Amino acid sequence: MAERQGLEVWGYRMCMKDRMRRFLVDVLDIHNKDVIEEVIGISSIRHCPKGRTLYSQGETMDTCCFLMEGVTGAFLYTKGGKQISDDFSFVSGEMITPFMN
């Protein structure tokens, strides 16, 4: 049973590596094999549920996120707490960053 679970995890990881490799080559247009392998080694694919905050204004970034699929949005808040939609991204390969005021 443990061996089978290990193979399933290994198969899942290989699938994620292949997906990341395709993303780097096809979307970000990176073709250097050494660079691709280095990026894959320090990268992870994360699935974020709707409504999750990735970054807040003024927050120091320690990660670099790229949109693989889906939609991201940037929102501003008035002093009264009203939410204002500012910017949406749905283009695969676009970098996701916080506001820099």
Side-chain angles (χ1 to χ4, degrees):
M1 184 69 165
E3 288 179 6
R4 183 166 184 219
Q5 288 175 343
L7 286 174
E8 288 174 0
V9 170
W10 181 81
Y12 176 75
R13 290 179 143 248
M14 289 302 293
C15 179
M16 290 294 110
K17 279 182 143 183
D18 289 342
R19 185 171 177 204
M20 179 65 77
R21 188 174 285 108
R22 282 193 305 263
F23 177 75
L24 293 171
V25 172
D26 297 344
V27 178
L28 297 184
D29 201 29
I30 298 172
H31 297 279
N32 182 303
K33 291 181 187 212
D34 293 334
V35 171
I36 291 170
E37 291 308 313
E38 187 171 342
V39 170
I40 288 173
I42 61 172
S43 299
S44 62
I45 296 175
R46 296 184 183 169
H47 300 272
C48 298
K50 181 179 178 180
R52 177 167 179 234
T53 300
L54 295 177
Y55 299 111
S56 296
Q57 183 177 351
E59 178 181 338
T60 302
M61 293 175 56
D62 62 355
T63 60
C64 177
C65 295
F66 294 91
L67 181 65
M68 291 183 79
E69 61 185 41
V71 177
T72 62
F75 302 94
L76 303 170
Y77 293 91
T78 65
K79 289 183 181 179
K82 181 181 176 188
Q83 179 178 303
I84 301 170
S85 300
D86 182 56
D87 186 28
F88 286 91
S89 175
F90 52 86
V91 178
S92 182
E94 192 157 312
M95 185 183 220
I96 303 168
T97 60
F99 288 113
M100 304 305 267
N101 275 352

